[in-house]
DNA sequence: CAGGATCCGATGCGATACTG
DNA sequence: CAGTATCGCATCGGATCCTG
């Protein structure tokens, strides 16, 4: 459930709106780690996700988050290429929520 | 992205675990409304969702939430049938998170 | 009223291979 | 190293119809 953008807003409930940003495989963890480490290279993110995720998936999730204005990236024009990902202010504002999700998960899963 | 249960736990990150519970179309809003109203009949939930959701979908999401121990239901053996849904303690513990999601959505969407 | 049964399209997600 | 391109399946989710 990832790209299921919804335009209709259910009477003052913006819950789904936020979930649309967070739901998508690995997005939560990606933000979690970026909050923790600040800046991470593509390969570092992949390692943190224990190589469970394929490059393709990681790329897609990062692109989605970029579109939403949650993460941004800095590309070094070097060889071999080096790309760093970091949270935008909008992304950092998710800190409380991510922390809450993490805590709840620790308690109830 | 609803049934994508993940067993692997990424080094002390339980974020995805919670997202697995919340992600699924309408689950967030369902919990949001149950937090707000306490108890809701099937048909009341459907109206609150502005009839956007089909009975089938609403039923499925409620069954998922029930399996996770988030909601519970009380069936009145009457004709016509009457079924009430309400949050379990585990479900109520999501209040802070749901509120956070709602606030963030209001601010950034 | 609440919800089960079917059908069916959309897309989420994975595996694999290739490139500047 | 950090991607893009293809292929393919599983499942998510919508529409419709049926029932105790």
């Amino acid at each position: 459930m990832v790209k299921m953008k919804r335009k209709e807003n259910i009477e003052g409930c913006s819950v789904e709106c936020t979930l649309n940003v967070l739901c998508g495989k690995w997005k939560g963890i990606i933000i979690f780690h970026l909050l923790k480490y600040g800046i991470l290279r593509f390969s570092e993110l992949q390692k943190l996700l224990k190589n469970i995720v394929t490059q393709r998936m990681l790329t897609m999730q990062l692109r989605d988050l970029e579109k939403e204005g949650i993460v941004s990236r800095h590309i070094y024009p070097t060889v071999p290429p080096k790309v760093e990902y970091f949270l935008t202010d909008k992304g950092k504002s998710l800190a409380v929520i991510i922390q809450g999700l993490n805590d709840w998960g620790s308690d109830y899963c």
Side-chain angles (χ1 to χ4, degrees), chain A:
Chain A
M1 106 213 100
V2 176
K3 274 290 180 42
M4 45 181 191
K5 298 303 173 190
R6 216 159 299 127
K7 304 92 198 174
E8 332 88 11
N9 241 8
I10 312 283
E11 56 160 303
C13 176
S14 304
V15 175
E16 299 299 306
C17 169
T18 309
L19 285 177
N20 279 335
V21 174
L22 297 178
C23 287
K25 217 156 181 177
W26 317 113
K27 282 184 189 171
I29 305 185
I30 290 173
I31 299 174
F32 179 82
H33 281 121
L34 285 176
L35 278 168
K36 185 175 178 183
Y37 297 100
I39 296 180
L40 288 171
R41 297 183 58 175
F42 185 88
S43 55
E44 290 174 328
L45 268 170
Q46 216 179 348
K47 280 176 196 165
L48 285 171
L49 298 178
K50 293 186 177 173
N51 301 311
I52 296 174
V53 75
T54 58
Q55 290 126 325
R56 173 190 143 86
M57 273 313 299
L58 184 51
T59 302
M60 288 180 66
Q61 304 297 308
L62 286 169
R63 292 291 172 281
D64 282 351
L65 291 173
E66 220 180 333
K67 276 182 195 163
E68 300 283 353
I70 304 298
V71 306
S72 191
R73 58 175 166 162
H74 187 264
I75 307 173
Y76 294 87
T78 58
V79 176
K82 173 177 174 179
V83 180
E84 291 181 337
Y85 288 88
F86 53 94
L87 294 171
T88 60
D89 287 341
K90 185 177 176 184
K92 289 175 187 168
S93 69
L94 286 166
V96 182
I97 292 177
I98 296 293
Q99 188 61 50
L101 294 173
N102 192 48
D103 292 345
W104 194 91
S106 301
D107 291 346
Y108 293 97
C109 294

